[in-house]
Amino acid sequence: MNLEELERLYQEQAYTVAAIELETYLEEHPTEAAAWYLMGKCRLEIAKSEEERDEMVTAYETAYEAFSKTLEYDPLHIQARVHRAYMGANVLTDKSAATLEDCQLILDQGDEELMTKALLYRFQVWVLLNETEKALADMHRNLEIYQSLYHDDLPQLNVARFQCYTRIGDVYYHNDNKPTALDYYRQAFHCTVYNNRTLSTLHFALEMADYDFAAEMLHIASTSGEQEEEDMLKILLEVKALLDQGVRHLALAREFCWGTIDYWHQFYGEDEAEGTLEQISTGKRFIALYPEESYFYHFTGTALFNIGSFSESLPYYEKAMAIRPYPSTIIRWYYAHYKTHGQFPESWPNIDYPIAYDWYSAGVVCNELMQDEEDAEVREFMGGLKKYLYQKAYALYYPYWYENTGSSYAGHPHHFAMCCNNYGITLFELGAYEDAVLIHSVGYNMSPFWEQLESRADAFHQLGKYAEAVGDRQMILSTFLSSLPLVYYVSIHERIIEDLTALERYDEALALYNKILSEYEEWISNDMEELEEEEQEIIIYNIDRIKTGRAFIKTGSQDDLHERIQALEKHLEEKPDDSDAYFNLMYLYYDNAQYEHCIGAVNNRISIGGIPKLPLVSQMKIYYFRGKAALKLGRYEAAIQDMLQTLDIMSRGDESDNSPNNRCGVYAFLAEAYLGLQDYDNALSYANQCVQTYKDMNWSWDAESSAFYYSLALAQEGKGDLAACKKTIDRILEKDPGFQPALNKKAAMKNSSGLFSFLRKKKD
């Protein structure tokens, strides 16, 4: 094998195979530095995966020797020197002299990024050699280099600073200079508040009686959700013991109360009533001690809020709001006010509060309250506050990650990503789809997870960007399949098929349709039995949606329309009450000129019920298509009733439902239906409404214009106004010379008097 092929084995993580092949290669090329370097990297990776210590040490030693051989044949091979320095500092402690030499040579190169590694490795050697001053000097120099290296990347700079300050603090701690150590730990914490040293530093701060610093860390430990329950209980009990012993410290007491909320039963008991009284008692005790701190009023009110005593909780929240509200105070006060007085406050305070996660958490509380609220109008009203809470969190997260400003309290990337997902969903609910796409994109780039793509795909779909929606969902299936719940696996297929159909990518849609239905028969139907009943129902619903969606997947075959109708009729044999199947058959029967069947499908859909719960556009289509089918069958009164019903539903909709285009289409059919009944006044009225709509909207002439102008001409003829009729016919042919009905009418009028023309029309 050549070196390129061996490198490919390394890239494929076939380290053992590559190392064996390299031994053969090096027998033929014993002085090739690149081959020795590749051998060193392979051995290093093998060492990291060894479970037996002796084998691990042997692998590290052979890796070290390989890097040494690399430097023997190419002394300027800087990466080999970096690897060797790393091993000398972290693994093979008898290589101090060589490691110090390697580090100095790396430093002499002047590459800032490599210099930081060399200084770290040399720091570790100095610590082992008890050269404290030299170790501290190297870490302080590293701080200076990081400031230059990451001057335009605050998150990366803060992580680097955290590591440096922590290491400096460790040196002082192990040299028994605890006050100085704690000072550096404090600096480290403020650089990166979400870190892996929080609990140990928190215990140390309590030991040193630095309660301000301890309270800051306790807040992060309590809210980050990243600490083990056992560890959190231990630290909270330690704080409780201090408070019980008489330690007076407002912030520490506040964070103790804040922390106990997630461990309610451990601190307040299993019985809800007794536990609520205990929480209220604790809150009142701290109110008496610290009447100027709003959180204790919030804490006491929340005990009552959580058991549904909203009127009793409200005075506590109002007191907290008057002093200094927290984000979670705002939402509970807002909802308690509604529950007490039957209406929401006119506004909420726009406060400055620095911790992004607490804003995000308040948004989550708001969302939970909305989900539990049965009144749809109340849920809709609360949407504005939910948006405000998430937006406040986003406004703290975004500058830290993208504008190089802010504090590390916004420095948790996954928290930011979750905030983006919830904020994006909220914007979606409010109809701000473009903003939702932007927010979801920011969140996905920060911390990729499939829910973010699914939410963004929903927004893309609403914007009519079906290709982008398909792309996001295909990415979910290709990248996140192992973590995707079965219920979403099925629903995502259903949505992709829907959007592929909208894009007229019918071959792809049909292939996915056949794939998912085959999988449903082969394994999904069995696997779903392990799920909760609600999730099983969702999967069945989506499978049914996929089957009924076959209505719109065109194949291009000669019998395409018949095949699609047949597919839905077969599905109805299994699910005779599937409302979607009847709804979709309504379209297909109409397109296939099966107007009686179309009316029957609509009647079946109406008999199933639930029409008022459908989106208005779907309600409109039900009566609109039945009316069109009745018109085709000459059932003019039935057609008129359905078209008037369509207009009534339309009038209750928004601008998209009640658009001039939609109204004009219904007016045209009403004009045609009234003509059929020889009700020429109404026919003229609705035809003229079409004409006026086109004028108002400044629309150009199209095929629809020819049709409703022709209805206008016939109504004019029916009223006996032959001059107006002739003028309208001439206008149609001027705009649309090939419109056959107008050509026929012009010929008929030319060959006979207007009266006989009218009578012949009636006879026909």
Side-chain angles (χ1 to χ4, degrees), residues 324-357:
R324 178 180 179 267
Y326 292 86
S328 54
T329 308
I330 295 173
I331 174 54
R332 290 184 172 91
W333 159 77
Y334 192 71
Y335 192 68
H337 188 284
Y338 157 71
K339 283 293 191 179
T340 302
H341 299 296
Q343 61 184 18
F344 288 102
E346 293 184 3
S347 63
W348 54 78
N350 185 13
I351 64 171
D352 289 324
Y353 179 84
I355 302 178
Y357 183 84

Side-chain angles (χ1 to χ4, degrees), residues 582-605 621-630 632-633 635:
Y582 289 117
F583 188 84
N584 291 354
L585 275 170
M586 169 186 80
Y587 293 99
L588 299 182
Y589 285 141
Y590 187 87
D591 289 345
N592 205 37
Q594 293 176 267
Y595 304 121
E596 289 284 9
H597 283 66
C598 176
I599 292 171
V602 172
N603 290 338
N604 283 331
R605 175 61 192 90
K621 287 178 179 178
I622 285 172
Y623 295 100
Y624 178 71
F625 269 87
R626 190 171 70 173
K628 286 204 302 179
K632 289 288 187 181
L633 294 170
R635 299 172 186 170

Side-chain angles (χ1 to χ4, degrees), residues 28-213:
E28 299 177 9
H29 308 85
T31 62
E32 189 168 339
W36 281 110
Y37 176 64
L38 185 57
M39 173 66 87
K41 291 200 297 180
C42 289
R43 292 295 184 189
L44 184 57
E45 295 299 331
I46 292 169
K48 292 176 182 177
S49 63
E50 290 287 1
E51 295 182 1
E52 296 293 332
R53 176 166 178 77
D54 290 344
E55 294 177 1
M56 183 188 303
V57 171
T58 300
Y60 274 124
E61 288 175 343
T62 56
Y64 191 92
E65 291 169 5
F67 291 130
S68 297
K69 281 287 188 181
T70 306
L71 294 169
E72 179 183 337
Y73 299 120
D74 182 5
L76 299 179
H77 199 301
I78 193 66
Q79 289 299 331
R81 199 168 295 280
V82 171
H83 278 89
R84 195 170 76 161
Y86 159 78
M87 296 177 67
N90 294 282
V91 182
L92 306 175
T93 56
D94 60 341
K95 308 291 185 183
S96 297
T99 302
L100 292 173
E101 182 182 353
D102 284 340
C103 290
Q104 187 59 55
L105 288 169
I106 296 168
L107 290 167
D108 292 341
Q109 295 292 316
D111 182 303
E112 285 191 328
E113 190 167 346
L114 293 181
M115 287 174 72
T116 62
K117 292 182 178 181
L119 287 168
L120 172 59
Y121 302 154
R122 194 166 72 176
F123 164 84
Q124 290 165 326
V125 173
W126 290 139
V127 169
L128 290 173
L129 297 175
N130 291 318
E131 294 282 1
T132 300
E133 294 305 319
K134 292 179 179 179
L136 293 173
D138 275 353
M139 205 44 57
H140 280 288
R141 187 179 175 193
N142 237 354
L143 278 169
E144 295 172 1
I145 296 173
Y146 282 131
Q147 182 65 47
S148 169
L149 189 61
Y150 301 128
H151 68 277
D152 59 350
D153 188 346
L154 183 59
Q156 186 64 46
L157 175 59
N158 273 340
V159 169
R161 284 170 167 168
F162 168 80
Q163 293 169 346
C164 290
Y165 287 134
T166 298
R167 291 184 178 108
I168 294 171
D170 288 345
V171 170
Y172 281 111
Y173 183 88
H174 290 294
N175 280 277
D176 207 27
N177 188 343
K178 291 185 177 181
T180 304
L182 188 60
D183 184 56
Y184 277 102
Y185 291 151
R186 185 183 299 104
Q187 293 181 69
F189 173 79
H190 287 139
C191 288
T192 305
V193 300
Y194 297 100
N195 62 75
N196 59 357
R197 295 282 296 266
T198 298
L199 283 179
S200 61
T201 308
L202 177 48
H203 283 290
F204 181 40
L206 291 174
E207 176 191 328
M208 298 291 289
D210 189 339
Y211 300 133
D212 287 330
F213 184 28

Side-chain angles (χ1 to χ4, degrees), residues 264-265 268-277:
W264 196 86
H265 292 298
Y268 304 112
E270 294 295 330
D271 184 87
E272 184 177 32
E274 291 182 4
T276 298
L277 291 175

Side-chain angles (χ1 to χ4, degrees), residues 443-473:
Y444 185 73
N445 291 335
M446 181 58 54
S447 180
F449 51 88
W450 70 266
E451 292 91 340
Q452 198 91 255
L453 287 178
E454 173 68 0
S455 299
R456 189 172 70 178
D458 282 341
F460 274 136
H461 177 86
Q462 290 299 122
L463 290 168
K465 296 183 177 181
Y466 304 123
E468 289 85 348
V470 168
D472 275 353
R473 291 195 166 100

